[in-house]
Amino acid sequence: AEDVLFTEEVSGPTDLLAYVLPTRYHPLWGEGVERVYQHFIHNKVFVPFLGYTALALCLYGAIRCWKQARFWLLVAGVYVALALGPQLRVDGQLYPGIPMPYRLMSDFFLVRAVRVPNRFNLFLGLPVAMLVALGVATLIQRRSRRMLLLVTAVLGALILLEYNLVPYHIERPVTPDWYDRLAQESGEFAVLDLPIKLHTYNKQYMFYQITHHKPLVEG
């Protein structure tokens, strides 16, 4: 019973389609891709979309600067392979028969420390940025100053357009009145907030702790 109550399942693989599907939070085409996002298990919220402009620059940089790009391509490939998790998912469809590198590397320290496969997408930004830089550097090579500024401005505008999340929806944090009353309680004791869930509710409980100043069992 204790295992059922207090053990969290380690999950969070990336859906392969999510890398090339525009973000559902975009103000222009977000509604158009919302239906496809419903097929995803873990990428409904955590969107790993790389951007078409960035991918095109990566490809261009890899072709034109192969020697410099090989290392960053390898690093990007490793991160993507690990982010996909132990079983391949494409558009929500599971392909258990395809062997994934994550299964072989699950005992490595880095993999165990990261815990959730989807988090490897955070590291993916570095090799992608380096490949994009190679693509841009090659594209503007031997260009006039005016053309250099024009190309840089156009590429920057395209990338910003694809990554645009304005307006960004936020919510005002609200602390239940009960915690104000709890702050007035005397004596030394800890607070056990339920339900326990390390990656969601516990962050709220720590925010409430700012009000009541009591120790937390799960904090």
Side-chain angles (χ1 to χ4, degrees):
E2 292 181 357
D3 290 341
V4 174
L5 288 174
F6 297 104
T7 300
E8 289 191 290
E9 180 184 358
V10 178
S11 58
T14 301
D15 192 297
L16 185 60
L17 181 62
Y19 285 117
V20 294
L21 186 67
T23 171
R24 61 193 288 259
Y25 303 118
H26 199 282
L28 296 180
W29 49 71
E31 294 184 0
V33 298
E34 183 68 34
R35 181 181 59 82
V36 182
Y37 267 93
Q38 298 309 311
H39 301 166
F40 295 160
I41 305 299
H42 303 284
N43 297 124
K44 293 179 181 179
V45 177
F46 302 104
V47 180
F49 175 56
L50 296 176
Y52 298 125
T53 304
L55 286 173
L57 289 170
C58 285
L59 181 62
Y60 184 74
I63 294 175
R64 296 297 301 272
C65 305
W66 172 246
K67 288 185 178 180
Q68 297 95 322
R70 286 181 298 182
F71 172 76
W72 297 112
L73 282 172
L74 176 62
V75 174
V78 170
Y79 286 148
V80 169
L82 292 176
L84 294 177
Q87 294 182 318
L88 179 65
R89 286 183 183 271
V90 182
D91 195 19
Q93 181 66 40
L94 189 64
Y95 295 90
I98 299 179
M100 300 299 294
Y102 189 90
R103 298 180 182 179
L104 301 176
M105 303 181 67
S106 58
D107 290 331
F108 279 58
F109 171 76
L110 177 62
V111 176
R112 295 178 62 184
V114 173
R115 293 191 303 164
V116 180
N118 197 62
R119 291 178 180 171
F120 281 100
N121 292 318
L122 298 175
F123 305 133
L124 182 60
L126 176 59
V128 168
M130 295 303 298
L131 290 169
V132 167
L134 288 173
V136 173
T138 306
L139 193 61
I140 64 177
Q141 191 175 19
R142 299 177 183 177
R143 305 282 183 180
S144 65
R145 182 175 178 82
R146 180 177 299 179
M147 183 60 65
L148 186 152
L149 293 174
L150 177 61
V151 171
T152 303
V154 170
L155 292 176
L158 288 174
I159 291 175
L160 288 175
L161 175 63
E162 291 183 358
Y163 291 166
N164 179 34
L165 299 179
V166 178
Y168 188 79
H169 300 285
I170 60 174
E171 295 182 2
R172 183 180 298 277
V174 177
T175 301
D177 295 337
W178 182 83
Y179 290 100
D180 290 307
R181 298 195 297 272
L182 178 62
Q184 307 305 318
E185 295 287 338
S186 60
E188 294 186 4
F189 58 89
V191 178
L192 173 61
D193 295 285
L194 298 174
I196 293 176
K197 191 169 179 60
L198 293 178
H199 306 304
T200 51
Y201 297 118
N202 284 21
K203 294 179 176 60
Q204 292 178 269
Y205 301 152
M206 286 188 283
F207 174 74
Y208 299 154
Q209 190 183 35
I210 297 174
T211 299
H212 63 71
H213 300 290
K214 306 297 183 183
L216 297 179
V217 172
E218 73 281 19

